[in-house]
């Protein structure tokens, strides 16, 4: 599907600054925009990111300094961009798929699909895959080779899996992100038009949930291993070869580098960035970015050395309080003595 | 189904203080008892609640001062009340429903139900609903209009959904509450006879679990949005327009007001009450009630101002300990000096 | 299936120290090895455990002092032992079971199995069991009498349930443990050849996950009750009559005694041992073993008395810091006074 920029401008009722004849092949957020795609500018801080991207056009509220990038000016960029994303990746979850394998699905003959699984329209499943009982693969999902989907896994529409991905029972990929805006006292869901992209050699534990991106992907990098009951929020970009232990919760739009380790029950605030080889200790709550090559502990998390010292003192707090009280009494006594000495001296 | 109060008295082998001819239409806990229903008094603190309710009778261990309310006196009120609840809402989960849609279910013709879903006896599903693959709706559930049940959702018997409720894949509503009493070294399950009631415009995330009430409802108020992997215990009464983020755990019998926000991984102790517009920060553990219009942080949680001060000092604990040690040395030195001065003075 | 020790030695390419004609009936880790079984020695600390066990032979890297136990010496004991475990309990999860009940499954005529459930090859289901819609029971599982498997439960291969076990909707037993070794920058899964063994009268909450053991069992002791969204890692040995509340996470190889209580959102580090009647408070993080009969609180958890004192001081930290500052000023003032007095005295 392609649109001319002039058509896009019409669809979103915008003012075009740029070449009306340019052909647009897709709509994606700045981090993911490919050549010949249109993207979204909703934050001045992202101007450079967009210039560096391959995007040929942008939806924006005000004209910005974006050399070589056409601009479609609109009053509500998010609602306009959501329209374009929906044009290029149309909503399909209301196409309730029929039982068994849809006629338009392409299943490699070496793949095995259990008869109780549901494979919806337009799905592609590669060689050697095994799809266990009760699995639901919604429309337009693409699955590489040698993947295993254990019982009861759900892939929402447009989910992409690389090769040799293993997903354990009950995991859910692609549910809507938890994003709302308040309007007249009610929470209205914001657009949740993206998808989940899992790269090759990833393993995902039982009942783990990974939400779709807002406009583009929530991505799990190659070789990353995810334990049971992990929650990964919308738009997260998880790096390669991470180890994410059970019951970790990662809020929306977080990014991790490569070889990051998150121990059990760790929580990450939204929009956190953890650099390569960051290690986060069990139950820690990460509230700030980390450059990497560090161990973080505690809630709120700080680096290990600092936190170990803090924890060591915490254990001795009752003793410390007693010491302080004792010292206060001592100083009071000395004040008394000093007073007497002073008086004595004056008397002398 | 109706019973005369005299019949009820016989069923539970109780002594009746009141009018034997009164007609009773249901049995519900004090907070939920409607007119012409019988309720339970197991805690003197609830006397006023019962007087204020519409209940016409009460099951109790001892006669209480309850003007206008008939009383059925029994030795074990919980076991007696459980019998009555079971009479009015008979256990049905052992009726394993047949495949597909049971003949006694009433499905609006504009609703779509996937052929792999199981819709049990007596279920009602309203206009425009979509029931995705692998969904299981147990007997006597009632679902309003325009609801969406994503893949693999389970609704236990008697679950009620309002209109426009969206439930994501793998969520479970109505499993038994976690309630046991110990008897000769074994944990025996207490009665779990209630149900889950979800009001209109609620959204529920993937693999979230909401347990049924003990006798009556676990209720989710209108417009409340619940993220993935949230756990809500039995008897909870969640208010309207709450935002409950991922991996929050709410123990049994908690109540929240309207516009309450619980950030990720928050825990609430059982029987906690949070007033309107309470906001609880990520990973906090709430151990005490809160009147509302406050931000709570930390575990155990206190108000934001207090907690921010505590956290600020915690980060400086190692420094504070060094200061204390230094001060101790200083005071020791001064004691020495004082001693010398005192001796000098005496010498003088 | 049986093997002579000489055959075993050949299979793993090992050097045999012992009787080649001994008949071996199984391979299990030291804690679980029965008579006529072979076990693994990979840690000198386990020598006594093996001598005390009924094992007749051991796979080991170096000859050890193990009177009465034959030894098979190999260069890589884990890989050799994994081979033997796989011989006695062959991998079967790639046998995608057909729809409905496999012809080789043995279902007691008094059990009810919903037509949408999948019961795989070699499964045994005892009298009075109820298997609800969408349940998947993988090959070779053994289920006792009067068990209830609610909708969408998955039992991976070789899972064993005692009698009267209740498992709520969406729970997953027997997924692979989260064990990897790093090789040339990639995480390679270690052998996950064990199974889950749930003893009688256990109840398991909705979407709870219990991973299989590495070579042998992950075991849940008789009468233990587990709430929703609990995660129990591979090799854990949970005692009898425990109460494990919602969202608890127990890392691999932990052991608990009898009557242990873990409150909501508690986390246990791997290899922790909690003695009989240990009680752990909500959100606590257990990093050290506990002998039992104690209440643990906090993260890292310490005993209740200590932790209550620490928490009491924590709440007063801002006040304590002010006191310290005030004291510092007081001591500074006294230093000044002392200096003046000293000078005065010298002057005198």
């Amino acid at each position: 599907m392609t649109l001319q920029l002039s058509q896009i401008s019409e669809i979103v009722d915008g003012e075009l600054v740029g070449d009306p004849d340019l052909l647009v092949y897709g709509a994606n957020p700045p981090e993911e925009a490919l050549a010949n795609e249109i993207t979204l500018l909703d934050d001045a801080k992202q101007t450079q990111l967009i210039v560096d991207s391959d995007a040929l056009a942008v939806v924006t509220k005000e004209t910005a300094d974006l050399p070589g990038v056409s601009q479609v000016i609109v009053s509500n960029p998010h609602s306009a961009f959501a329209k374009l994303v929906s044009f290029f990746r149309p909503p399909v979850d209301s196409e309730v798929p029929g039982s068994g394998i849809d006629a338009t699905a392409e299943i490699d003959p070496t793949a095995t699909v259990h008869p109780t699984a549901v494979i919806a329209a337009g799905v592609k499943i590669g060689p050697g895959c095994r799809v266990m009982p009760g699995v639901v693969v919604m429309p337009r999902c693409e699955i590489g080779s040698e993947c295993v989907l254990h019982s009861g896994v759900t892939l929402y529409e447009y989910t992409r899996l690389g090769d040799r991905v293993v997903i354990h029972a009950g995991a859910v990929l692609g549910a809507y992100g938890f994003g709302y805006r308040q309007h007249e006292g009610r929470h209205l869901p914001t657009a949740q038009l993206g998808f989940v992209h899992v790269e090759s050699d990833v393993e995902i534990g039982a009942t783990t949930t990974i939400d779709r991106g807002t406009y583009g992907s929530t991505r799990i990098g190659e070789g990353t291993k995810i334990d049971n009951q992990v929650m990964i929020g919308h738009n997260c970009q998880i790096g390669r070869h991470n180890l994410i232990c059970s019951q970790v919760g990662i809020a929306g739009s977080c990014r991790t580098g490569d070889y990051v380790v998150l121990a059990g029950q760790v929580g990450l605030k939204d929009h956190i960035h953890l650099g390569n080889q960051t290690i986060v200790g069990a139950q820690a709550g990460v509230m700030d970015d980390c450059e990497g090559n560090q161990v973080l502990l505690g809630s709120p998390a700080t680096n290990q050395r600092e936190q170990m010292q803090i924890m060591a003192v915490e254990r001795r707090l009752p003793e410390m309080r007693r010491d302080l009280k004792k010292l206060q009494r001592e100083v009071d006594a000395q004040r008394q003595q000093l007073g007497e000495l002073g008086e004595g001296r004056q008397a002398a």
Side-chain angles (χ1 to χ4, degrees), chain A:
Chain A
M1 279 180 294
T2 58
L3 288 173
Q4 282 178 308
L5 210 43
S6 56
Q7 293 176 294
I8 282 181
S9 198
E10 265 176 50
I11 289 173
V12 301
D13 195 17
E15 179 193 344
L16 175 59
V17 181
D19 177 355
D21 297 330
L22 281 177
L23 282 178
V24 179
Y25 286 79
N28 266 309
E31 301 82 357
E32 303 175 42
L34 305 175
N36 302 317
E37 292 191 339
I38 191 166
T39 189
L40 170 71
L41 174 63
D42 66 340
D43 179 352
K45 278 181 263 173
Q46 296 200 294
T47 311
Q48 191 56 42
L49 182 64
I50 289 169
V51 172
D52 294 344
S53 80
D54 292 327
L56 54 69
V58 77
V59 174
T60 175
K61 191 161 185 172
E62 293 167 356
T63 49
D65 185 22
L66 292 167
V69 180
S70 295
Q71 302 184 29
V72 180
I73 320 296
V74 294
S75 58
N76 185 335
H78 272 277
S79 124
F81 191 65
K83 258 190 199 166
L84 298 178
V85 170
S86 292
F87 175 83
F88 289 107
R89 203 183 314 112
V92 290
D93 81 325
S94 62
E95 302 173 10
V96 178
S99 193
I101 300 174
D102 188 274
T104 64
E106 299 173 26
I107 316 290
D108 187 276
T110 62
T112 56
V113 176
H114 191 269
T116 61
V118 173
I119 311 295
V123 169
K124 291 176 186 162
I125 298 184
C129 285
R130 287 192 288 132
V131 178
M132 307 297 273
V135 169
V136 176
V137 182
M138 294 290 285
R140 316 290 162 90
C141 290
E142 297 187 16
I143 301 176
S145 62
E146 306 287 338
C147 293
V148 182
L149 306 188
H150 285 275
S151 306
V153 164
T154 294
L155 306 185
Y156 279 67
E157 59 274 16
Y158 291 110
T159 302
R160 297 182 204 162
L161 308 183
D163 302 326
R164 296 169 303 279
V165 172
V166 177
I167 307 184
H168 280 280
V172 176
L173 273 60
Y176 307 167
F178 196 65
Y180 298 91
R181 63 190 174 83
Q182 212 168 317
H183 178 69
E184 297 179 354
R186 307 189 77 84
H187 303 294
L188 302 185
T190 54
Q192 300 295 337
L193 304 167
F195 57 94
V196 172
H197 182 181
V198 177
E199 296 182 356
S200 293
D201 296 304
V202 168
E203 296 183 30
I204 295 174
T207 76
T208 280
T209 59
I210 304 176
D211 281 354
R212 64 175 63 182
T214 305
Y215 299 121
S217 72
T218 300
R219 183 183 307 258
I220 312 296
E222 186 188 326
T224 284
K225 311 298 184 185
I226 302 174
D227 202 353
N228 300 348
Q229 299 189 16
V230 170
M231 162 62 184
I232 298 181
H234 58 299
N235 301 322
C236 284
Q237 303 288 314
I238 304 299
R240 295 177 305 154
H241 310 297
N242 286 201
L243 290 176
I244 302 181
C245 297
S246 182
Q247 296 180 329
V248 165
I250 305 182
S253 302
C254 289
R255 287 180 301 134
T256 68
D258 296 340
Y259 298 101
V260 169
V261 177
L262 306 180
Q265 297 182 330
V266 159
L268 266 63
K269 202 176 73 112
D270 56 291
H271 290 86
I272 288 293
H273 176 226
L274 298 181
N276 292 339
Q277 278 157 311
T278 304
I279 296 172
V280 185
Q283 293 191 324
V286 183
M287 309 292 280
D288 298 295
D289 291 352
C290 173
E291 287 192 0
N293 292 297
Q294 273 188 57
V295 178
L296 302 180
L297 299 179
S299 178
T302 60
N303 78 59
Q304 182 175 31
R305 195 162 169 276
E306 214 173 296
Q307 197 67 36
M308 295 291 273
Q309 289 176 336
I310 293 172
M311 285 175 176
V313 182
E314 271 176 338
R315 289 195 166 221
R316 307 180 73 166
L317 272 180
E319 175 198 326
M320 200 167 140
R321 187 170 151 83
R322 281 192 298 273
D323 287 350
L324 181 60
K325 291 282 177 200
K326 200 176 140 200
L327 202 59
Q328 275 172 324
R329 284 193 300 272
E330 174 74 28
V331 170
D332 287 345
Q334 292 190 2
R335 185 189 310 114
Q336 175 84 8
Q337 275 185 275
L338 267 171
E340 286 165 13
L341 275 175
E343 277 164 31
R345 190 183 152 210
Q346 283 185 315

